[in-house]
Amino acid sequence: MTDLAQRVYNHTWKIDPIVRSLLDTDFYKILMAQTIWRRQRDTTACFSLINRTTRIRLADIIDAGELREQLDHVRTLKLSRGESTWLRGNMFYGRRQMFAPDFIEWFEALRLPEYHLEIRDGQYELTFDGPWVETTMWEIPALAIINELRSRAVLRGLGRFELQVLYARAMTCVWEKITRLQKLKDLRIADFGTRRRHGFLWQDWCVQAMIEGLGDSFLGTSNCLIAMRREVEAIGTNAHELPMVYSALAETDEALAQAPYQVLADWQQDYEGNLRIILPDTYGTSGFLARAPKWMEAWTGIRIDSKDPIEGGEEAIAWWKGRGVDPMTRQIIFSDGLDVDAIEKIHAHFHGKVRFGFGWGTLLTNDFRGLARDRLLDPISVVCKVVSANGRPAVKISDNPTKATGPNTEISRYMRVFQVEAQPMREVVV
C-alpha cells in the first residue's frame, strides 16, 4: 500500500498526473456517453466549472500553469488495451456486453476536446464546448484535477512528520466511520467520491478500507479505474445532465414538460435491470412523480438527491404504494452530502420499510476537516455542469433552490412549465 505521506513529501516531478486514465471517471459517465452516442451524436454542449463555495478563491490557491499542465495531460490519454478489454468483457450489474462494440470503438479513438480557461475575480472560468458526447467526458477529470491541485497546494511545504500525522489522523477518521457503519444491519453502501476527492491515491485507500472493513456490505465504487484494479463492482446509472439537455432541446412548452420522461424512455430501451433508477429531482420530485407515466412503476428504484432524505424517501414510498407497488420490491438510493451521522439516521428510519442503499461521496474521500491550518483542506462544493445545448441554456431547478442553475428567466419558465412552487433552501455542504 502506498505511503501517502512519504509520497507527498518526496514529490518532485514536473507533472505528477492527477488523472491517469480515461477510466479514472465515474461509471455513470460512460453509461450516459453510450446513450448520447446512440441518440444525440450531433448535439453540442457546453460544460462549465462552478464553485459554489465562493469564499474559497481557487485561482489564488491553484497555479494556472499547473492546472493547464494537468488539463493538457488528460487530452493525451486514450484507453489501453487492458481497459478496453475490461469494458468489453466484464460483467456489470449481472450483464455482459453492457457496451456495444461500435461504442467501444468510438471510445478507443476518443481524445478529449479543447478547453477554455480564464481567471475572473479569484475564480477559474473553465469551460468545455463541443460535441456533447465528448464534452460530457470532461466533467469528472476537471473536478478531480481542481480538487487535487487544491490539496497539493495546501500540503506543499509541510514537513515529513506533519504529513505523517495528517494522514494518520485522516485514516483514523475514515476507519472510525467504518466501524460505526459495521453496526448497521443489512447495510448496502458504495463509494461515490470521485468528483471531489482529496486525490486518486486517497480515494483508492478509502475503497480498500471499505473492502476490508465492510465486506459484503460494500457494493463497489463509482470509479471505473479503481473498480477494475480492485476487482469490485462499478456502480452508477445516470445524472441530471440528461434531462437538462433533452429539455434544452425542446421546441415547445409541451415538449419541455415531456422531456424528462423521454430521457427515461430512451434509457429504458438502452438498459435494463438495476440500471433503471429514477432521478426525479431535476425539475422537482413531487411534480415529476405526480405526472409519471405508468410504465415507470416497473423501474427498480429512485435516487434521492437534493431533497431532505427522510422526506424524499417517504415520498418515494408513498408514490409506490399509491401505484399499488410494494416498496420492499423496490430500492431507494441516498447520495446527497452524506456522512455517518446522516447514514445512521436514514438507516434507522427506513430499515424494514423499503430496500435502500447509500452512495457515499465527498465526506468519504475528502474528509480532512480541521486537519490543516485555517481549515484549508475542508471540502468545498465545486461542480461541473452542462450550461447549454445547441446554443440553448440548460436549466436545473432541483428540490433545493441553492442548486438551481441557468438564467433566471429560463428558471422562471421551467418552474411554470413543471408547476414548481416556492421551495425551502437547504445548505449545500459539499
Side-chain angles (χ1 to χ4, degrees), residues 171-188:
M171 290 175 177
T172 299
C173 176
V174 171
W175 193 252
E176 287 176 346
K177 293 180 182 183
I178 289 174
T179 58
R180 287 171 62 181
L181 294 177
Q182 290 170 345
K183 302 173 184 178
L184 302 184
K185 186 177 180 181
D186 303 319
L187 177 69
R188 301 168 73 247

Side-chain angles (χ1 to χ4, degrees), residues 6 101 153 277 368 398 404 414:
Q6 186 71 23
I277 301 293
F368 286 70
S398 179
Y414 274 59

Side-chain angles (χ1 to χ4, degrees), residues 242-251 256 259-260 283 395 413-414 418:
L242 288 179
M244 289 174 68
V245 172
Y246 273 55
S247 297
L249 300 178
E251 297 288 348
L256 173 59
Y283 305 118
V395 174
R413 173 181 168 239
Y414 274 59
F418 290 104

Side-chain angles (χ1 to χ4, degrees), residues 140-214:
I140 307 301
L143 290 171
I145 287 169
I146 287 289
N147 280 282
E148 186 161 348
L149 281 179
R150 176 174 173 252
S151 298
R152 291 184 182 187
V154 174
L155 297 177
R156 190 173 291 128
L158 293 188
R160 184 191 306 271
F161 291 105
E162 286 181 286
L163 288 167
Q164 288 177 340
V165 170
L166 174 79
Y167 279 105
R169 287 175 173 170
M171 290 175 177
T172 299
C173 176
V174 171
W175 193 252
E176 287 176 346
K177 293 180 182 183
I178 289 174
T179 58
R180 287 171 62 181
L181 294 177
Q182 290 170 345
K183 302 173 184 178
L184 302 184
K185 186 177 180 181
D186 303 319
L187 177 69
R188 301 168 73 247
I189 192 167
D191 157 44
F192 276 18
T194 300
R195 295 187 303 160
R196 290 189 287 267
R197 66 194 181 194
H198 172 77
F200 172 80
L201 294 176
W202 180 250
Q203 182 183 13
D204 185 47
W205 186 91
C206 291
V207 168
Q208 292 179 70
M210 296 274 276
I211 292 170
E212 179 173 321
L214 295 178

Side-chain angles (χ1 to χ4, degrees), residues 2 49 52 57 87 97-98 114 126 128 182 186 191 206 210 294 296 312 315 321 346 381 386 397 427:
T2 303
L49 186 77
R52 294 169 175 159
R57 294 166 57 92
L87 287 172
Q97 290 190 324
M98 180 73 77
E114 294 182 0
L126 177 59
F128 311 95
Q182 290 170 345
D186 303 319
D191 157 44
C206 291
M210 296 274 276
K294 186 172 179 58
M296 284 181 52
E315 187 171 13
K321 287 182 175 179
I346 295 167
S381 182
V386 59
I397 294 177
E427 181 184 4

Side-chain angles (χ1 to χ4, degrees), residues 13 18 21 25 28 104 158 210 216 227 237 260 267 275 293 335 337 341 347 360 365 402:
W13 302 338
I18 289 173
S21 162
T25 192
Y28 77 90
I104 296 296
L158 293 188
M210 296 274 276
D216 292 341
T237 53
W267 189 267
L275 288 170
S335 62
D341 288 345
H347 182 277
W360 194 9
T365 62
T402 310

